[in-house]
Structures are given as structure tokens and as C-alpha cells.
Amino acid sequence: MSGTDHSQEAAWSPDGPIAVLVEPQLGENIGAAARGLWNFGLRRMRLVAPRDGWPNPAAAATASGAGSLLDEARLFEATADAVADCQMVYATTARPREMTKRVLSPEEAMREAGGLIARGDKVAVLFGPERAGLGNADVGLANAIISVPVNPAFASLNLAQCVLLVAYEWRRAAHESLAAEEEPLAAEEEPLAASGEVGRLVAHLVGELDHAGFFYPEDKRPSMVASLQNLFRRAPLTEADLRTLWGVVRALAEGPKRGGVRKPDPASLPDMTALRRAIDAQDQLLLRQLADRQALIERAAEIKRDVALPARIDERVEEVVDRVRAGAVRAGLDPDLMERIWRSLIEAAIALEEIRLK
């Protein structure tokens, strides 16, 4: 199909979805993608680490009358930076992923995008490189997946074709909405959090979990971090959600402060009575934790019995002791004293396991 009427005024959507091309390889495909966007009234494009650098003469040659989109395209080094100011991010992919995300058709996604944009949110659509499409880390940044019902035996779409398809559905959804004199499909009224703000929360949470020794064993850390990323991106978080989650993470990192057992501040306790009360409260907390620990030890003994493991696993003992010493140093405690205390606890736990293994 060809033909351009230069007498017509350009009809475009200044606040339409942003096309984010992640590590595009061929300049020709970038130019063709720009042309496809402009065919349907879209002109916002962001490029993440294009393989052949930027600007690219081959892109300009292929873009034909859409060269202005390339002039205005923004360049980024990382996908997370390219979508940091966006409240909704869609990822286009044809491959099945080990992620639980909403999967929408291009039509459904662009109808939803229309409602989000109408209320002031920024929407981005990620398009992957030609060779293999988006990587799992990039898909993990998305709130939802756009998947096209193509031939399963030949599901690969050219980059420019994929961009054209999504741009067409955007234009069609906008026209149908106008024809029906309806508002675009709206989402919840609460403002959504920007992708970059969600990323900062996840990074902070990962740091606190690192400090707490959550990521064990170490070789599982990348997949566990990816699962957390996906958990917080699966549904768009509102700004209120984000504030609540920041408070939750801070409260857990700082320890108990209100109600029940408070984090003791010796300087604020003026006399022996107050100090004794604080010590008693901490003792009660320790007793509860020891009871929980004993329940875990008993369960460990059951599992060891089922798989014929010995009660004592020396390398595991030394690993725990090393972590205790490192934690003692961070907390300003005597590591030798803490090691002696923990070795006693470990010996008691092993003795309990040996009883239950008989």
C-alpha cells in the first residue's frame, strides 16, 4: 500500500505509547519501525544500546518520510532507564516465559493503554532485538506481555512488523473510541507509580535481603531476584502501594518499634526499673524465637531422616558460624563470644536431631 497526501494535516497522538527498541541490530529495521509508527500517528521512539551505534545512516534511508522520528529518538544505555518515567510497560514476546504476567493481544493492550494515557500515565511498549527478542531481564521490567496469535510453528515477527502491528492497533482503538463517543478503557483512578520508582524499591529490598542472608544458596540468587522483580511488576503498583511497601521494608529492616517488643534504646531508659522491663521484653522475644527455631530443627530432622542424611553436616556448621561471625562484626559485637554461643546452640540442635533420627 502506498501514497501520501502532503496536503493533509499530520494526524498524530502526541501522548501515545512510547516505542522502546531494545538493542536493535539493523539500522534498516529501526528506520522501518519509525515509518510504521508514523503511519499510524505515533512518533515517540526510544532506543536502548543499538548494536551499530547512533545515529545510523541506514535507519535514515529506510525511514523515508518519518526521518523526524529518528531525529527526536532518545538514546539509553539500559532498558530500565528507558522506561523509568513510565507507569505502564508492555513487553512484546512470542516465546513462553517462566513468569506469571497478564498476556494481552495487541488490541487489548492498546485499548488499555488508551485509558491509562487519557488519565495522564506514560505507557511504553518494549520491542526486542531481531535475533532472539527480549531477554528475561527486560521482560521482567514489564507489567504485562503483548502476544500476537501467530502461527506457532513460525512465531517470529520482524522488528518493524511488530512495531507496525502494535501501532495499527493503537490507531484502531483510538478511532473506535471516537466513533462510539466513549472514553477509552480506563484503569483504576489512583495514580500509578513510575517504573523507575518501583525499580528503586526492588533494589532497596534486595539490598536488605542480602544483609539478612535471604539469598541462599548463592547460585540461586539471580533467579530469586528475577522472581522478586516480576512479583512487583506483575500488576502496576499505585503511588499509594509504593509508599506502603517502602514503609513495610523499612519497618522490617529496622526491627520492632511499636506495640509488643520495642527496639531498645539504652540511652532513653532512665532507671533500673525501665532497663529491667526492656531486658524482660527482649528475653520474651528471644524465647519465642528459640521456640520457633526448635520447631524448624525438628522439621529438619524429619527431612534428614527421609533422605538418609546425618544429623551433623560439618560444612553446614562452619558456614553458619562464618555468617554469625560476619553478622557480629557488622553489629559491633564480639565475634568470638558469638561464635561460642552459636556453637553451643548448634550442638544442642544436633543432639535433638540425633534423638529424632533414631
Side-chain angles (χ1 to χ4, degrees):
M1 218 183 300
S2 63
T4 300
D5 186 349
H6 294 286
S7 68
Q8 295 291 321
E9 223 177 285
W12 64 289
S13 305
D15 296 320
I18 302 163
V20 181
L21 277 53
V22 179
E23 299 179 7
Q25 296 169 303
L26 299 174
E28 291 85 351
N29 278 336
I30 300 174
R35 187 170 179 174
L37 289 170
W38 192 225
N39 281 146
F40 296 102
L42 297 173
R43 64 180 300 128
R44 295 199 293 174
M45 177 187 284
R46 297 180 181 181
L47 305 174
V48 178
R51 184 190 66 181
D52 297 335
W54 193 256
N56 187 317
T62 313
S64 187
S68 60
L69 273 71
L70 302 180
D71 296 336
E72 298 166 6
R74 296 177 60 189
L75 186 63
F76 295 86
E77 293 184 2
T79 308
D81 296 332
V83 300
D85 61 339
C86 299
Q87 284 77 25
M88 172 63 78
V89 180
Y90 299 98
T92 58
T93 178
R95 292 185 291 118
R97 309 280 180 155
E98 294 180 359
M99 298 184 192
T100 305
K101 291 185 187 288
R102 290 185 304 138
V103 179
L104 307 174
S105 68
E107 177 185 10
E108 292 167 334
M110 290 302 96
R111 285 189 68 239
E112 182 178 85
L116 293 165
I117 290 169
R119 46 173 272 184
D121 291 327
K122 278 188 180 179
V123 174
V125 183
L126 301 178
F127 299 92
E130 295 90 323
R131 185 176 61 84
L134 292 168
N136 284 344
D138 293 320
V139 176
L141 294 170
N143 305 110
I145 287 172
I146 296 177
S147 185
V148 182
V150 293
N151 175 7
F154 189 61
S156 176
L157 284 174
N158 172 271
L159 171 61
Q161 290 175 326
C162 192
V163 171
L164 182 76
L165 187 66
V166 173
Y168 164 73
E169 291 296 351
W170 165 259
R171 185 75 167 178
R172 191 163 75 92
H175 270 278
E176 286 179 356
S177 177
L178 288 172
E181 295 185 351
E182 295 176 353
E183 289 294 320
L185 184 65
E188 58 262 17
E189 295 301 319
E190 178 71 31
L192 297 181
S195 178
E197 294 301 318
V198 177
R200 275 187 279 278
L201 170 68
V202 174
H204 181 74
L205 176 58
V206 168
E208 293 295 347
L209 291 173
D210 268 326
H211 183 70
F214 175 78
F215 298 110
Y216 178 83
E218 182 61 30
D219 63 325
K220 298 287 187 184
R221 186 181 187 282
S223 62
M224 294 169 79
V225 171
S227 295
L228 281 172
Q229 182 80 264
N230 186 47
L231 174 66
F232 285 96
R233 304 277 184 177
R234 188 177 302 155
L237 295 174
T238 66
E239 292 178 358
D241 292 335
L242 207 62
R243 288 192 296 272
T244 300
L245 288 169
W246 269 110
V248 168
V249 174
R250 287 195 186 103
L252 290 173
E254 293 170 6
K257 284 187 174 180
R258 37 174 98 81
V261 180
R262 296 174 180 268
K263 190 175 181 179
D265 177 10
S268 68
L269 303 174
D271 53 40
M272 286 301 297
T273 301
L275 281 165
R276 287 195 187 97
R277 286 175 181 163
I279 292 170
D280 288 344
Q282 292 301 311
D283 287 344
Q284 290 299 315
L285 177 61
L286 285 171
L287 287 171
R288 288 198 297 272
Q289 291 175 335
L290 285 171
D292 292 341
R293 186 173 185 274
Q294 182 167 333
L296 294 171
I297 290 167
E298 292 176 355
R299 175 60 181 149
E302 292 174 4
I303 293 173
K304 286 180 179 179
R305 183 183 60 229
D306 292 341
V307 297
L309 280 173
R312 184 182 187 90
I313 303 173
D314 288 331
E315 58 268 27
R316 175 61 180 154
V317 171
E318 296 310 314
E319 179 186 321
V320 171
V321 170
D322 287 344
R323 287 171 60 185
V324 166
R325 290 185 66 90
V329 171
R330 285 197 301 268
L333 300 172
D334 181 346
D336 293 332
L337 174 62
M338 294 305 296
E339 178 179 342
R340 288 197 296 273
I341 293 171
W342 271 87
R343 283 194 183 276
S344 298
L345 287 171
I346 292 169
E347 292 300 328
I350 290 170
L352 176 61
E353 287 187 8
E354 286 175 340
I355 293 169
R356 295 186 67 86
L357 284 170
K358 289 178 181 177

